[in-house]
Amino acid sequence: MTSLTLAAVLQASILATGNETYAEAHRQNQQTGQPIVVMVGADWCPACVMMKNSVISQVRQRGILRKVAFAMVNLDQEQQLGQQLTAGGPIPQLILYRQTESGWKCQKLIGGQTVETVESFISGAVQAPNAKRPAQIPQPAPHATPASAGSNTAYRTTPGTNG
């Protein structure tokens, strides 16, 4: 009976996190053309834990994450990928990639954020014009960002809330 209980707990844990890997988000982007949103954080970072357990959880419940290809990256578990996505910057970071006619666009929210700020950030990308069809999105190398979007990166931070 104990192994059955453990299996149920593990399954619930997987369903609760959504098993949202960067590779799965990229695959979803290729299939649907949806923007990619990646939350990069770490277990030791209080702002990251708050973002993951409270803000992202509420955003998920409100349904906005169904409109994007979403992934969670734990910097401690996927250090190389996390460093590439954050460019070595502070955490938490919420990174949004979307394909446009002129190439990949990247925007970042750095630091702890409110539910409303995250929803507005994601909604702006979902409603943005010029999205390309999924067949035109390049395949990134494993553990790489979708494309070099550095010159098109916009940063928004909330002072005093970085982890």
Side-chain angles (χ1 to χ4, degrees):
M1 190 70 155
T2 304
S3 62
L4 181 59
T5 303
L6 178 60
V9 168
L10 287 173
Q11 183 66 24
S13 170
I14 290 170
L15 291 174
T17 62
N19 198 20
E20 300 153 325
T21 67
Y22 179 79
E24 290 168 348
H26 183 264
R27 195 169 22 260
Q28 182 179 341
N29 168 268
Q30 288 184 312
Q31 293 171 353
T32 66
Q34 294 174 321
I36 299 172
V37 176
V38 184
M39 163 69 192
V40 182
D43 295 335
W44 51 263
C45 164
C48 302
V49 172
M50 184 270 307
M51 285 286 293
K52 177 182 174 185
N53 294 338
S54 180
V55 175
I56 297 299
S57 178
Q58 290 178 55
V59 170
R60 178 179 284 114
Q61 287 176 352
R62 293 182 181 191
I64 191 81
L65 292 183
R66 284 179 268 190
K67 299 177 181 180
V68 297
F70 182 74
M72 300 279 288
V73 173
N74 185 313
L75 193 56
D76 293 326
Q77 296 170 359
E78 299 179 87
Q79 188 172 14
Q80 183 179 5
L81 174 60
Q83 290 292 325
Q84 287 178 328
L85 292 169
T86 63
I91 54 175
Q93 283 193 32
L94 195 63
I95 307 163
L96 187 146
Y97 296 100
R98 69 180 176 87
Q99 183 71 9
T100 69
E101 292 298 326
S102 60
W104 285 97
K105 300 291 182 188
C106 175
Q107 295 177 284
K108 296 182 178 187
L109 287 178
I110 299 173
Q113 305 294 328
T114 66
V115 172
E116 292 76 19
T117 302
V118 172
E119 285 184 338
S120 175
F121 179 68
I122 294 171
S123 292
V126 170
Q127 297 171 2
N130 299 329
K132 284 188 173 184
R133 296 301 314 143
Q136 299 170 325
I137 296 174
Q139 172 71 38
H143 301 293
T145 57
S148 97
S151 63
N152 297 317
T153 302
Y155 297 93
R156 292 193 279 176
T157 63
T158 303
T161 58
N162 291 349

